[in-house]
Amino acid sequence: MGILEETVDIAYPQQPHCATVLVLDVSASMAGEKILELSEGLRAFIRALNEDDLARKRVDLAIITFGKDVRVICPFSAADQVQDPVLGPETFTPMGRAIVRAMDLVEERKTEYRDLGIDYYRPWIFLITDGRPSDMHPGEPFWDEVVGRVHDGEKEKRFLFWALGVDRADMKILREIAPPTRPPLLLKQTRFYDLFVWLSKSLSRISDSSIGEQVTLENPAGPDGWGIIPTE
Amino acid sequence: MKKTGVPGKKSSPFMCGGSVCGEYHGSRDEPCQDASGWTVVPGRRGFPPYGVIAVADGLGSARLSGIGAATAVTVALESARSALPVPVGSIGGVLFDIARSARETVLTRSREYGCSPRDLASTFICVLFSRHGIAAVHIGDGCVVARDRHGGLFMLTSPGGEYANEVVPLTAPEWKSELVTAYIRQRNGSVVVMTDGCVRAACTGPSDRLVPRPAFFDPLFSYVLSQQDEKSASGEIMSFLRGQGMTRCSDDDKTVVVGVIHTAHGADEITSGVSSSRDNPE
């Protein structure tokens, strides 16, 4: 062993982390096949993260549902700590408050990372809905607050915001909520499984990237993708 | 390899170090994408000799980034040899010109290869130091740590952004606004330049407010200050970078280059502060 190996004290940092928040619509309109497939896709997603060594160490997953209320059913956790999420249909669609909660969670998590000296990737917020918000409408102050925070947050690189519509989702409303640079996607049929496979692959690729390495993701709206970008 | 400094000779820059391939690239039979080099510009016309250190870290997502990094380092050293020595007041302009020359040559190389400048993307650090002070120009991650003769450590530049995999490289269109220059008046100060593969082993704190750890830097500076032969000192540093400790810390390529001023006598320190900016000196 050389003199430097004997004398220099090396710090061992934690793995860089990738905070990811799923914001899931569990309103009454999701009842039936949709919520069953969403649940199954979510389980497959968590299984896939657990099967990837780096993703398991680096992805911090939080899950928020919005139905009767906004609930953080899973606070930020490594994939192997996530309990089997139980999703049940509820009334109302408080999407606006759920988005705000997700953005707050991300900021809180980044503060924790910084306090601990942990490097981190840009957080992801992934909204999935088949409807339209019941707690905010265009022109209302709360709408402006929520949409403004999403657009500013994306522009200022505080997070990546993905909006995904399912079935009869109001894509016009989603287009206004989503950042202008990342229009909302409409899920083909109910391909939740494909969506979550893509999400786990994307997070795995980010997790496997070195510090300083930029990552190109598969286009979810490509020919084999699970989503389309509605033009109307 | 020739000696770059001689202990006992008044105010002679001495540099050593190198770049080693990390496990990530090694396991894929890919070459090291870090590049590093140094040179001494002899003193003349009343100016002291300068030590020049150039380091670049090719971005993992850029397929020819190792070539881009090596090109940037080579051009930086050539540019410094042509430009130095200059009065302290002109150092900022010289550093900017060095970065610009390195960038332009990398862009020319991309046209020769028929590829995008993005394919040759790398970070870039160039440090000029003499018995009067230490100056740096820097874009991308990695860091430059300076030390005064009392052992005080300063983070001279560490312009990496908030996120782990988002770096603005030298080839980026917005390079001017992201370029950081810094100068510290420091009699006979020492300096370490390192790429991101070593940063977390050596520093604490959030990525945009890194703090150098004395437990890492003090033994490193002490070792180099005691050395006379560049080749053997560089071999020791590269062996350290390849060792289990550093490998356990990161699988990335690693570069450490240390510059010190060897003096005949103990030197008086005249620290007067650090200036740093992202402003374009043009």
Side-chain angles (χ1 to χ4, degrees), chain B residues 12-24:
Chain B
S12 176
F14 175 85
M15 290 159 281
C16 55
S19 302
V20 304
C21 190
E23 278 195 335
Y24 183 85

Side-chain angles (χ1 to χ4, degrees), chain B:
Chain B
M1 199 176 287
K2 69 176 182 179
K3 293 178 181 177
T4 56
V6 181
K9 188 177 176 183
K10 191 180 178 187
S11 301
S12 176
F14 175 85
M15 290 159 281
C16 55
S19 302
V20 304
C21 190
E23 278 195 335
Y24 183 85
H25 288 132
S27 64
R28 290 164 169 79
D29 284 329
E30 293 172 351
C32 178
Q33 293 175 349
D34 281 6
S36 55
W38 54 90
T39 189
V40 170
V41 179
R44 57 192 164 94
R45 298 198 305 268
F47 292 109
Y50 273 92
V52 181
I53 300 170
V55 166
D57 175 0
L59 267 57
S61 55
R63 63 190 176 95
L64 300 173
S65 65
I67 294 170
T71 302
V73 165
T74 302
V75 173
L77 298 178
E78 288 169 358
S79 301
R81 281 189 207 103
S82 304
L84 295 173
V86 295
V88 167
S90 303
I91 284 286
V94 168
L95 285 169
F96 181 79
D97 288 342
I98 287 171
R100 181 170 54 189
S101 298
R103 181 176 188 274
E104 286 175 356
T105 306
V106 172
L107 296 185
T108 301
R109 192 59 50 86
S110 74
R111 288 191 289 274
E112 291 167 0
Y113 278 90
C115 63
S116 160
R118 186 73 187 74
D119 292 329
L120 293 161
S122 75
T123 67
F124 180 73
I125 305 170
C126 185
V127 168
L128 313 178
F129 71 103
S130 74
R131 63 184 162 91
H132 294 312
I134 303 167
V137 63
H138 193 161
I139 186 167
D141 53 23
C143 68
V144 179
V145 173
R147 190 177 89 145
D148 66 34
R149 77 182 186 90
H150 300 297
L153 296 171
F154 306 86
M155 184 60 71
L156 196 59
T157 59
S158 60
E162 179 179 10
Y163 300 123
N165 59 341
E166 299 184 23
V167 169
V168 178
L170 183 63
T171 47
E174 68 271 34
W175 71 286
K176 280 186 188 175
S177 61
E178 296 296 320
L179 203 65
V180 173
T181 57
Y183 174 70
I184 180 169
R185 287 180 63 189
Q186 185 71 65
R187 182 169 291 278
N188 297 329
S190 307
V191 64
V192 169
V193 183
M194 61 174 55
T195 53
D196 66 313
C198 304
V199 165
R200 278 297 174 197
C203 304
T204 58
S207 60
D208 51 359
R209 286 204 314 271
L210 291 169
V211 178
R213 296 172 53 245
F216 184 96
F217 287 99
D218 288 349
L220 181 60
F221 279 120
S222 295
Y223 169 76
V224 175
L225 281 163
S226 71
Q227 297 302 299
Q228 300 181 31
D229 182 73
E230 176 187 315
K231 186 176 178 181
S232 67
S234 295
E236 172 64 22
I237 289 175
M238 291 173 75
S239 172
F240 167 68
L241 295 179
R242 289 194 189 97
Q244 285 187 351
M246 289 298 284
T247 300
R248 207 179 114 211
C249 183
S250 168
D251 62 359
D252 201 359
D253 299 340
K254 298 174 187 71
T255 294
V256 165
V257 180
V258 186
V260 300
I261 300 289
H262 281 321
T263 57
H265 310 289
D268 295 324
E269 185 203 348
I270 53 165
T271 305
S272 65
V274 179
S275 62
S276 177
S277 80
R278 287 182 189 258
D279 296 336
N280 174 5
E282 275 197 332

Side-chain angles (χ1 to χ4, degrees), chain A:
Chain A
M1 185 180 282
I3 186 169
L4 289 177
E5 280 200 87
E6 286 178 0
T7 56
V8 173
D9 181 72
I10 298 168
Y12 292 101
Q14 291 197 40
Q15 300 277 350
H17 285 221
C18 182
T20 304
V21 187
L22 301 179
V23 187
L24 307 178
D25 184 345
V26 292
S27 61
S29 59
M30 286 287 286
E33 187 182 356
K34 278 185 285 188
I35 209 155
L36 290 175
E37 295 199 16
L38 174 62
S39 299
E40 189 48 46
L42 188 54
R43 285 188 199 100
F45 169 61
I46 293 165
R47 274 199 306 274
L49 288 182
N50 272 313
E51 287 165 6
D52 184 306
D53 280 347
L54 275 178
R56 189 173 62 246
K57 292 174 189 168
R58 296 183 172 185
V59 174
D60 279 343
L61 180 65
I63 304 173
I64 295 174
T65 59
F66 55 101
K68 185 178 179 183
D69 205 347
V70 173
R71 289 192 297 146
V72 180
I73 65 166
C74 171
F76 276 116
S77 312
D80 58 4
Q81 303 295 313
V82 176
Q83 304 290 319
D84 188 14
V86 179
L87 306 179
E90 302 170 357
T91 53
F92 308 121
T93 315
M95 188 191 302
R97 286 194 292 126
I99 293 171
V100 168
R101 189 76 188 95
M103 293 186 289
D104 289 345
L105 273 186
V106 160
E107 291 305 320
E108 290 162 14
R109 194 62 170 177
K110 288 202 293 188
T111 299
E112 290 171 13
Y113 291 152
R114 292 169 63 80
D115 288 347
L116 294 169
I118 296 173
D119 290 325
Y120 53 95
Y121 304 100
R122 197 187 313 187
W124 283 37
I125 297 173
F126 213 95
L127 169 71
I128 300 177
T129 180
D130 75 335
R132 57 184 300 159
S134 60
D135 62 345
M136 63 176 187
H137 304 92
E140 294 176 356
F142 187 53
W143 167 275
D144 293 340
E145 178 192 329
V146 173
V147 173
R149 268 190 74 179
V150 169
H151 291 195
D152 289 348
E154 176 87 19
K155 188 177 172 185
E156 293 161 9
K157 300 186 176 182
R158 289 190 208 134
F159 46 73
L160 291 168
F161 188 95
W162 297 80
L164 174 67
V166 179
D167 195 16
R168 295 181 183 174
D170 189 332
M171 298 307 291
K172 190 177 170 189
I173 286 287
L174 271 188
R175 199 174 299 121
E176 291 187 45
I177 295 171
T181 50
R182 187 172 299 104
L185 294 160
L186 180 63
L187 189 70
K188 290 176 183 171
Q189 293 95 38
T190 47
R191 291 175 61 177
F192 283 107
Y193 183 84
D194 295 337
L195 151 70
F196 281 112
V197 167
W198 173 87
L199 185 56
S200 66
K201 276 186 183 173
S202 300
L203 292 173
S204 293
R205 288 182 73 168
I206 289 168
S207 303
D208 193 31
S209 64
S210 302
I211 305 290
E213 178 183 1
Q214 294 183 343
V215 176
T216 304
L217 303 177
E218 286 177 23
N219 179 7
D224 299 323
W226 45 263
I228 54 176
I229 300 174
T231 53
E232 293 181 2

